[in-house]
Structures are given as structure tokens and as C-alpha cells.
Amino acid sequence: MKRLIALGFPVLLAAWPLHHALARDDGRYANSPLKAWFDSLKSGRGPCCSDADGLAVSDPDWDMQGTHYRVHLDGEWIVVPDDAVITEPNRSGRTMVWPIKGSLGTSIRCFMPGNLS
């Protein structure tokens, strides 16, 4: 029985990220006129996914530090790598960030600046 449990646990662990990834697009933006555009966004770090995966960032939570953008997430300022910045025009008008949280902290996959007020 212990061996069966020991063999089943890694399978459950392997399946968890897949289930978690499938749960991201819950369909709430299916009829948005910008859905296809959001789905096509990518930075030098890869596809950004979609609006459902990104976070809108308010003006007080992003700025420029020298020549780099930075965002305030989970109580800390994170410098946005140059290759994570989306350079095409922002059709939504909102500042968006696509963070990746891992064992080494939060990194930025994509960042799309809006207009600082």
C-alpha cells in the first residue's frame, strides 16, 4: 500500500500544474474585442498568454527608475527586464504585467506600459 501511495503522489504532483494552467482561461473574456490581440502578445521572454493571466497595474504601482520600468507587486518593487517590455502600441490603455512566481521569487514575463498620469 505504501508503494502504491508513493507511486501515486508524483503523478498527482505532475498533474497539478496542468490542471492549474487549464483553469486560467475561464472564458470571461471570450467576447472581448481585444481577446485575440491579448492572446497574440509576446515579449522577448515568450508569449504573455492573455488578459486573464495578466494583472492591471495602477499608476502608483509602476514607474521608471533610470531607464528601466519597475512594478510594485506583493510588497516589493521589481525591475522589469528590457526583454519583457512589450513594444507594440497598447490597445487597452491599461498598464499590464504578467508575473511568474517561482521558488526564487517573482519575475516578469511581460510588461506593457500605459500612460503615467
Side-chain angles (χ1 to χ4, degrees), residues 37-101:
W37 176 72
F38 270 111
D39 288 344
S40 73
L41 288 176
K42 60 185 174 220
S43 72
R45 295 178 160 231
C48 301
C49 297
S50 69
D51 189 30
D53 298 317
L55 304 171
V57 182
S58 301
D59 283 353
D61 292 324
W62 74 283
D63 65 10
M64 295 281 299
Q65 184 178 41
T67 59
H68 298 281
Y69 292 105
R70 64 183 191 148
V71 293
H72 192 248
L73 297 172
D74 299 327
E76 70 173 301
W77 284 97
I78 302 169
V79 175
V80 176
D82 290 338
D83 63 346
V85 177
I86 298 171
T87 57
E88 70 176 82
N90 183 339
R91 292 173 54 188
S92 77
R94 301 176 293 174
T95 300
M96 302 275 306
V97 64
W98 286 260
I100 298 174
K101 296 181 183 194

